[in-house]
Amino acid sequence: MPRSSRSPGDPGALLEDVANNRRPRRIARRGQNTSRMAEDPSPNMTWVSCLAFFLRTQAQRVLFNTCRCKLLCQKLMEKTGILLLCAFGFWMFSIHVPSKMRVGQDDSITTPLQSLRLYQEKVRHHSGEIQDLRGSINLLTAKLQEMEAMSNEQNMAHKIMKMIQGDYTEKPDFALKSTGASIDFEHTSATYNHDKAHSYWKWIRLWNYAQPPDVILEPNVTPGNCWAFEGDHGQVTIRLAQKIYLSNLTLQHIPKTISLSGNLDTAPKDFVIYGMESSPSEEVFLGAFQFQPENIIQMFPLQNQPARAFGAVKVKISSNWGNPGFTCLYRVRVHGSVAPPGAQPHQNRYPERD
């Protein structure tokens, strides 16, 4: 809107003048008013005009100052509001964003820690289970070992019983007295007679405790129940239960642990085996052997096994293990077969005894 259309006393014009800073025009107006008052000759008018001019000038100053203060206050309020809004936004940002960052950092840190703790707990749990399994396995192993030991003991017991029932060798004995074997006394050394083996009453001999040679054909092997002959060399001839094809001969002696003398010097050492026909003069060499008394039962495979059957066997002993007075034989067994080796065995004519 043009300046000329507004009256001088219009407050809007004053505000515009204040805003546009038109000071030279107001100074000009003041000069015109002063010139008018100088031209007016009336004293009353002059006084009134001066008073009005003064009041108007004061009002304009007050209005000008008020408007200026309002503008300044408005601008100040705007700046202050903007600053407050910025401060509030910054405060909210400083509160929420770092907290979120901390939460994110805590989550990023806490998640691996929690995973590690869970893994450690699982490892501990599985370690306990593994230890329990190891204990169970050890118990099962111990039980299995006990069962195996019991099984071995049972097998050993069965084997021992079988050996006992089978006369230890599990081979038929054709020199057993109960099956018909006997001693050929004409071709057997004399029995050793010792004073301690006789029983006397008033210098009269009642009976002789010395065992005859046929004791070696019986299964009762106990200390003293043996056939003794004088010196360290002698012989015994055994008539077998029937003619057989010879294969082995077994000698048996008592163990050292139950010997009354505590040694085995009376046991035979070197001996020779002969096979004999019906005629005693016909002897066939079957082998020379040595008996070791540490092994109480020893089986000797014959070195010479002719394809013929024999009805008798001669055992010729040439030495013992140190006793010069006598030698003891506890048991002699003779093994073989009725049928020739490799042939179909026929039924035995002699019944077996339990």
Side-chain angles (χ1 to χ4, degrees), residues 266-283:
T266 61
K269 184 177 181 181
D270 298 311
F271 63 97
V272 180
I273 300 175
Y274 296 95
M276 301 179 66
E277 291 288 350
S278 57
S279 175
S281 61
E282 297 182 8
E283 298 180 355

Side-chain angles (χ1 to χ4, degrees), residues 139-183:
L139 291 175
L140 289 174
T141 304
K143 289 182 179 179
L144 289 174
Q145 290 177 353
E146 291 178 0
M147 293 176 65
E148 185 177 0
M150 292 176 62
S151 177
N152 292 335
E153 291 177 358
Q154 291 178 356
N155 292 335
M156 186 63 68
H158 286 308
K159 187 174 181 180
I160 291 173
M161 292 299 296
K162 187 176 180 181
M163 289 176 64
I164 292 174
Q165 294 175 359
D167 208 8
Y168 295 98
T169 59
E170 297 184 352
K171 288 180 177 294
D173 181 13
F174 291 92
L176 192 62
K177 184 178 180 180
S178 59
T179 61
S182 60
I183 299 295

Side-chain angles (χ1 to χ4, degrees), residues 70-89:
K70 286 182 179 180
L71 290 173
L72 291 174
C73 289
Q74 185 178 2
K75 290 182 179 182
L76 183 61
M77 289 296 291
E78 291 176 358
K79 299 292 184 182
T80 303
I82 293 171
L83 289 175
L84 289 174
L85 288 173
C86 291
F88 181 74

Side-chain angles (χ1 to χ4, degrees), residues 126-340:
H126 290 305
S127 298
E129 290 182 350
I130 290 172
Q131 291 179 357
D132 294 338
L133 289 174
R134 285 181 178 175
S136 301
I137 290 172
N138 292 333
L139 291 175
L140 289 174
T141 304
K143 289 182 179 179
L144 289 174
Q145 290 177 353
E146 291 178 0
M147 293 176 65
E148 185 177 0
M150 292 176 62
S151 177
N152 292 335
E153 291 177 358
Q154 291 178 356
N155 292 335
M156 186 63 68
H158 286 308
K159 187 174 181 180
I160 291 173
M161 292 299 296
K162 187 176 180 181
M163 289 176 64
I164 292 174
Q165 294 175 359
D167 208 8
Y168 295 98
T169 59
E170 297 184 352
K171 288 180 177 294
D173 181 13
F174 291 92
L176 192 62
K177 184 178 180 180
S178 59
T179 61
S182 60
I183 299 295
D184 185 356
F185 289 95
E186 295 181 1
H187 301 89
T188 300
S189 301
T191 302
Y192 176 68
N193 290 319
H194 193 268
D195 292 338
K196 292 182 179 181
H198 300 138
S199 177
Y200 295 90
W201 181 72
K202 293 183 180 181
W203 304 101
I204 301 174
R205 190 172 69 179
L206 297 178
W207 58 80
N208 188 2
Y209 286 104
Q211 299 293 339
D214 57 0
V215 73
I216 66 175
L217 307 180
E218 298 175 354
N220 184 16
V221 180
T222 55
N225 191 37
C226 65
W227 173 63
F229 57 87
E230 188 174 359
D232 58 356
H233 59 278
Q235 66 181 26
V236 59
T237 303
I238 303 171
R239 296 192 185 99
L240 303 176
Q242 63 184 93
K243 285 187 176 183
I244 60 170
Y245 293 88
L246 300 174
S247 61
N248 305 86
L249 184 137
T250 300
L251 289 185
Q252 182 175 355
H253 201 80
I254 60 172
K256 185 178 181 180
T257 53
I258 64 173
S259 175
L260 298 181
S261 62
N263 55 58
L264 301 176
D265 56 353
T266 61
K269 184 177 181 181
D270 298 311
F271 63 97
V272 180
I273 300 175
Y274 296 95
M276 301 179 66
E277 291 288 350
S278 57
S279 175
S281 61
E282 297 182 8
E283 298 180 355
V284 177
F285 175 80
L286 300 179
F289 308 95
Q290 186 179 86
F291 178 77
Q292 301 293 330
E294 291 81 8
N295 301 324
I296 58 175
I297 299 177
Q298 296 181 45
M299 182 181 293
F300 302 96
L302 299 180
Q303 299 170 357
N304 180 24
Q305 298 183 15
R308 53 188 296 188
F310 295 94
V313 172
K314 179 192 286 187
V315 180
K316 189 173 184 179
I317 299 169
S318 58
S319 64
N320 61 19
W321 285 93
N323 193 316
F326 60 94
T327 303
C328 288
L329 274 180
Y330 275 88
R331 188 175 180 188
V332 179
R333 310 178 204 185
V334 179
H335 311 291
S337 61
V338 178

Side-chain angles (χ1 to χ4, degrees), residues 8-27:
D10 190 2
L14 290 175
L15 291 173
E16 189 176 356
D17 290 339
V18 172
N20 295 327
N21 197 12
R22 295 181 178 180
R23 188 166 185 152
R25 189 173 292 180
R26 290 199 300 270
I27 294 172

Side-chain angles (χ1 to χ4, degrees), residues 48-63:
V48 172
S49 299
C50 289
L51 181 60
F53 176 75
F54 176 75
L55 292 174
R56 187 178 67 181
T57 303
Q58 293 298 322
Q60 288 178 354
R61 287 181 178 179
V62 171
L63 183 61

